[in-house]
């Protein structure tokens, strides 16, 4: 049974907290991304972490200094984990890891995007190797490409593999869990559903 991470890409703070509370018993974490933080402010991380642990999906992709500042803001507002783009390179990932260590937080590395692999071909495996070598906590792998998830899981071994791309983007939760995903990241299929709690309950039984 894989964990379920709620991707909370709504733009209203009140609605975000309401949905997170509604499904909290079935999700291991809430992932916040720019749509929510840019509309509700960084304080939303503090509100949500009272409900479930928060993963700050800022897809950090900058020089090491700027990246460490972004990570520091996320962790100091209560995020448990941050997501960094692996293509930014080793020094950036190391800078983010150093900040994470200060806060006892976690770092997940994007290997390739669910929406496009044209420029990632051949590099996502190298990113996975780097994430493993640096001692990151896990990777983000494309849940709509189970064969790629299986390949990346073989590379990272005991690191956690978190997979978005389920539902609206075409990925199948069962297939991706069988491919080795430790957690599925699901957004619209949950928060746009008439009964979000029922959707996560059903996913939790897969
Ligand atoms: P949805 O289930 O509504 O498609 O949401 C997926 C979530 O995962 C979004 O927050 C998106 O930014 C994120 N995501 C993704 O879809 N593909 C990736 O490759 C990496 C992501 O972080």
């Amino acid at each position: 049974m894989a964990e379920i991470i709620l991707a909370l890409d709504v733009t209203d703070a009140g609605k975000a907290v309401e949905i997170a509370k509604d499904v909290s018993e079935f999700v291991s974490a809430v992932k916040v991304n720019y749509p929510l933080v840019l509309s509700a402010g960084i304080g939303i991380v503090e509100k949500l972490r009272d409900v479930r642990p928060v993963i700050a999906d800022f897809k950090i992709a900058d020089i090491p200094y700027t990246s460490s500042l972004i990570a520091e803001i996320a962790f100091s507002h209560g995020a448990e984990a941050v997501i960094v783009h692996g293509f930014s390179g080793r020094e950036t990932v190391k800078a983010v890891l150093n900040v994470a260590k200060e806060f006892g937080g976690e770092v997940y590395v994007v290997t390739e995007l669910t929406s496009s692999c044209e420029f990632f071909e051949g590099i996502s495996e190298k990113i996975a190797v780097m994430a493993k070598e640096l001692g990151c906590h896990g990777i983000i792998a494309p849940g709509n490409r189970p064969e790629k998830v299986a390949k990346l899981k073989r590379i990272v071994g005991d690191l956690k593999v978190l997979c978005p791309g389920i539902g609206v983007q075409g990925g199948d939760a069962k297939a991706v869990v069988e491919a080795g995903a430790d957690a599925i990241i699901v957004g619209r299929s949950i928060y746009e559903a008439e009964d979000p709690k029922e959707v996560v309950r059903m996913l939790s039984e897969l």
Side-chain angles (χ1 to χ4, degrees):
M1 231 290 292
E3 291 173 19
I4 303 168
I5 296 168
L6 171 65
L8 206 40
D9 294 324
V10 296
T11 52
D12 179 82
K15 192 163 189 297
V17 174
E18 189 185 309
I19 296 166
K21 281 185 177 162
D22 185 33
V23 303
S24 65
E25 68 184 283
F26 296 110
V27 301
S28 59
V30 172
K31 183 178 83 62
V32 300
N33 198 335
Y34 290 113
L36 180 56
V37 169
L38 293 179
S39 28
I42 189 74
I44 189 67
V45 173
E46 278 150 328
K47 288 196 183 118
L48 287 169
R49 71 110 182 246
D50 290 340
V51 183
R52 294 309 276 149
V54 173
I55 300 174
D57 180 9
F58 298 152
K59 291 196 178 65
I60 303 172
D62 215 310
I63 60 167
Y65 173 70
T66 314
S67 298
S68 65
L69 289 181
I70 298 168
E72 193 171 337
I73 291 167
F75 286 123
S76 63
H77 283 84
E80 180 175 281
V82 297
I83 295 179
V84 56
H85 251 307
F87 68 67
S88 322
R90 195 169 287 267
E91 294 310 314
T92 286
V93 178
K94 278 202 269 187
V96 172
L97 269 168
N98 284 339
V99 177
K101 269 184 205 131
E102 282 171 37
F103 287 88
E106 298 182 345
V107 176
Y108 293 86
V109 180
V110 178
T111 53
E112 69 179 44
L113 289 173
T114 49
S115 54
S116 150
C117 53
E118 62 181 310
F119 298 119
F120 286 95
E121 211 41 65
I123 73 156
S124 44
E125 292 84 352
K126 288 185 191 161
I127 290 173
V129 170
M130 174 190 70
K132 175 94 177 150
E133 282 173 1
L134 293 181
C136 295
H137 299 81
I139 58 168
I140 311 295
N144 53 349
R145 292 192 282 280
E147 66 297 336
K148 186 49 87 66
V149 171
K151 196 172 181 191
L152 294 169
K153 180 66 182 172
R154 278 196 296 277
I155 294 172
V156 299
D158 58 353
L159 262 58
K160 282 175 89 172
V161 177
L162 318 185
C163 295
I166 310 301
V168 177
Q169 295 184 57
D172 175 65
K174 203 167 180 339
V176 84
V177 171
E178 280 166 11
D182 296 285
I184 52 171
I185 296 174
V186 187
R188 287 164 289 178
S189 302
I190 296 173
Y191 64 74
E192 286 180 353
E194 222 160 81
D195 187 349
K197 194 171 181 169
E198 180 56 14
V199 174
V200 276
R201 195 194 57 73
M202 273 162 38
L203 284 171
S204 74
E205 285 177 357
L206 285 178

